[in-house]
Amino acid sequence: MANYWDTQDEQDDDDVGYDRPSKSQIKRELEALQDLGKEMTGLPRDTLNRIPLPEDVRDAIDEYAKMRSFGAKRRQLQLIGKLMRDLDYDAVRQAIDMATGESKAAVAAHHKAERMRDRLLTEDAYLTDFIAQFPDVDVQALRQMIRTAKKEAQTNKPPKTARELYRFLHALVVPKFDLYKKDETEDEE
């Protein structure tokens, strides 16, 4: 004699047609995105500029900074969470960690950009290798920065151009993030 619970389990196994997330799961995901939005509102402007956010999300974060009322800030956070619905949580988290320097990839990009800058300033032959590695780079601007940085070092001036060169190189080596969610249908194709 079959037990009621045994037949119920068999029916549950057959009912696999439900493949959407539950309302509770969707709500948890939206709250997580809202928490990320709240974290971004506390970031300094230069750090926030390194995160490739959509324009509307960036504007909402800027508006949040201007608000003083607790209720208005709470509503603005909800708006930020709503605007971030199309964004992938993990990609946004990685972009924040990268911009704040908290990820291993951020540290690696920092060190790589420093090594590249040092080699460009000390080894003339490395410029050819660099151009082969990054063919789309503005060679004339790069050579000008290298010349100016070398001149600053020789005359014991502050390394303004060397810092500019570092920022230029860092922008090249930092991984680019696609913050939008990927459709599962795109992955199958």
Side-chain angles (χ1 to χ4, degrees):
M1 179 171 159
N3 189 349
Y4 169 76
W5 298 108
D6 293 337
T7 57
Q8 190 64 29
D9 287 340
E10 290 172 12
Q11 290 174 353
D12 288 344
D13 291 340
D14 293 337
D15 191 25
V16 293
Y18 189 75
D19 60 348
R20 296 184 322 209
S22 67
K23 286 183 181 180
S24 300
Q25 179 63 29
I26 292 170
K27 187 173 180 179
R28 283 190 295 272
E29 290 173 2
L30 293 178
E31 286 175 354
L33 284 172
Q34 186 174 337
D35 290 342
L36 280 181
K38 184 174 185 175
E39 182 179 342
M40 285 190 287
T41 60
L43 294 176
R45 183 174 295 272
D46 63 326
T47 304
L48 195 57
N49 288 338
R50 287 185 241 140
I51 302 171
L53 291 171
E55 190 75 28
D56 55 350
V57 175
R58 178 58 198 254
D59 291 342
I61 291 172
D62 290 342
E63 282 296 316
Y64 178 88
K66 298 175 187 174
M67 297 180 174
R68 300 289 170 236
S69 166
F70 174 78
K73 284 187 168 193
R74 183 181 53 79
R75 287 188 299 276
Q76 191 68 15
L77 282 176
Q78 289 174 341
L79 174 65
I80 291 169
K82 180 181 179 184
L83 293 173
M84 291 177 61
R85 283 182 184 168
D86 294 335
L87 302 182
D88 181 24
Y89 175 87
D90 294 329
V92 174
R93 174 83 261 156
Q94 287 177 343
I96 291 171
D97 290 345
M98 196 69 179
T100 58
E102 294 179 15
S103 72
K104 290 181 181 179
V107 174
H110 169 73
H111 291 302
K112 183 174 182 178
E114 282 183 336
R115 283 192 308 270
M116 291 169 77
R117 179 195 58 198
D118 294 342
R119 285 188 69 189
L120 283 170
L121 293 176
T122 58
E123 302 174 27
D124 293 333
Y126 180 66
L127 181 59
T128 307
D129 296 337
F130 180 83
I131 294 170
Q133 187 178 3
F134 298 99
D136 296 335
V137 72
D138 184 3
V139 178
Q140 186 176 2
L142 179 63
R143 285 187 173 144
Q144 180 63 39
M145 279 190 278
I146 292 170
R147 270 194 304 273
T148 309
K150 285 180 178 180
K151 187 181 281 186
E152 286 174 350
Q154 290 172 350
T155 58
N156 292 329
K157 289 186 177 182
K160 177 182 173 188
T161 310
R163 288 187 198 116
E164 184 181 332
L165 179 61
Y166 165 78
R167 285 190 293 273
F168 176 79
L169 296 172
H170 190 264
L172 290 175
V173 298
V174 169
K176 308 295 184 247
F177 291 100
D178 181 18
L179 299 182
Y180 288 96
K181 291 180 182 175
K182 300 215 182 336
D183 288 338
E184 293 171 14
T185 56
E186 290 177 7
D187 293 339
E188 292 173 3
E189 292 177 1

